[in-house]
Amino acid sequence: MGGRLTGGDPSLLRRINSAVVLHALRDARTPSLTELVQSTGLSRPTVEGVIEGLAESGLVVEAPADAGDVRKQGRPARRFRFHAEAGHVLGIEVGSHQVRAVLSDLSGAMVGSYAHDVAEKAPAEERLDRIRSTVAELLRRAGVARSTLWAVGVGSPGIIQADGVVRLCTALPGWTGLALGERLQRSFRCPVLVENDANVAAVAEHWKGAAAGTDDVVFVLAGLSPGAGSLIGGRLHRGFMGAAGEIGVLHLLGREATPEHLLSTTGTPLHPLDESAVAEVFALARSGDVQAVEAVERFLRRLVHDVAALVLAIDPQLVVVGGWAAGLDDVLEPLREQLTRYCLLPPRVALSALGPDAIATGALRLALDQVEEQLFAVARPSLPLR
C-alpha cells in the first residue's frame, strides 16, 4: 500500500479509525474529544463519527465531566470512556480435584470467581457437568447474563491440539481424545479456547504475576507429573502439536525410576494426583525424617535436571515455579544451583506470584486476548458488538 491508504475501501478505513480511537479510549482514563484528536492524529469530524458509531455499538459511553472542566467558563468538555461492562470474559481451570472459574469485564477487571470440588476419579461426563454447573453458579452470583460473554478460555491438563481436542492426558479419566472445546462450545454462544494448564499459567504470570515485564519465560508446573509452559518474545510457544514443555515424560529417556517412585518413602510409588501425600513427604523432610529427606532430594534432583534441559533449549530470562510446589523454598535453591552449573548465563528463578489462581487467571487472559484481537482487528470483527 506504499504506507498510505488510498481511500479505495471506506469501510476498511472506518474500521482502522475505530481501532485507533478504541485503543486511545482504553489506554486513557476519560479523554475529551480534543484529547482524542491529539492522541490519535485523526481529524475532529472523524473522531466524532467514530465515537458515535462506538457508542451505538455499546463500546463507548459518555463520562462525567472532570472537576477542572466544570470550573472553567463555558460548557464543560464532553468526556468518554471505554465501556468495559459491555461484555464479559470467562476463565476456567479444569483440575484433578477442583473446577475453578473467574469472570472479568472487557478490561480484565475481575467481577467474580467460584470453585467447586470434583473427585479425581470422576469420569469425563461428570467433570464436564461440574464445569457447566460451576460456570452457572458464578454467573448467578455475579448477576451476569450468559449472553454477555464474549469469549471463554479453558486451562486443562494434557496435550491440547489447536482445535481444542485433548490429544493425550494421563491426569483425568476419559480425557484423552475428548473434543473438549467442541463439548464446551455447546454451552456458550461465543468462542471457547482450550489450552494446556502450564501454558496458561505462564501467560498469567506474564500478565500480572512473577514474570510481568519479562518476555522470555519458562513456567514450571511442579508435581509428580511436571509440565512447563514457555513464552518466547512474549508469545506462548505451543510447539507443532501443542506438546512443548512436556518435561514430565523426560524420565522415559533412559531413566527407570518415575517421579512417583523417587518421592516415595515406602517403596510403593505415590499416586500422581495425591497432592496431600506429596505435601506430607515434604513436611516429614523438614522435620528431619531421614527417608523423607532422601526422597525429597531424589525428586528435586530429577525436577531440576528436567527444568535445566528445557532452559538449555530455550534460554529464558526467568524460570517461575508454580503448582503444588509454590511456597516450597526447597525447590528454588537446588534449581538455581543446577542452572548455574549447566547454563552459561543462568536465568533468574522465582516462585509463582499467583499460586493456585494462576491457571484460571491465564485462561481468562486467553479469552481476553481473543476479544482484544477482534476489537482491534483491521478486518471486520466476528464478535458481536452490543
Side-chain angles (χ1 to χ4, degrees), residues 303-316:
L303 178 64
V304 297
H305 286 170
D306 291 348
V307 174
L310 189 58
V311 167
L312 285 169
I314 294 179
D315 187 27

Side-chain angles (χ1 to χ4, degrees), residues 233-299:
R235 293 181 175 272
L236 183 63
H237 178 68
R238 303 182 70 257
F240 179 62
M241 293 297 292
E246 289 295 323
I247 60 175
V249 297
L250 285 178
H251 67 273
L252 300 176
L253 302 178
R255 299 179 179 180
E256 295 180 1
T258 64
E260 297 94 299
H261 281 90
L262 292 173
L263 203 54
S264 171
T265 59
T266 63
T268 301
L270 301 180
H271 191 284
L273 303 181
D274 194 345
E275 297 173 7
S276 60
V278 171
E280 183 179 354
V281 174
F282 272 85
L284 286 171
R286 288 196 200 90
S287 68
D289 183 273
V290 175
Q291 287 184 311
V293 169
E294 293 175 351
V296 168
E297 288 177 349
R298 288 194 303 267
F299 175 76

Side-chain angles (χ1 to χ4, degrees), residues 18-66:
S18 292
V20 170
V21 173
L22 197 57
H23 258 299
L25 278 164
R26 190 191 62 166
D27 295 341
R29 190 176 177 185
T30 54
S32 66
L33 197 62
T34 298
E35 290 167 344
L36 284 171
V37 169
Q38 293 172 345
S39 64
T40 62
L42 299 173
S43 69
R44 190 178 187 90
T46 297
V47 173
E48 287 177 335
V50 169
I51 288 291
E52 183 179 344
L54 291 173
E56 289 177 358
S57 71
L59 287 173
V60 171
V61 293
E62 192 161 350
D66 278 358

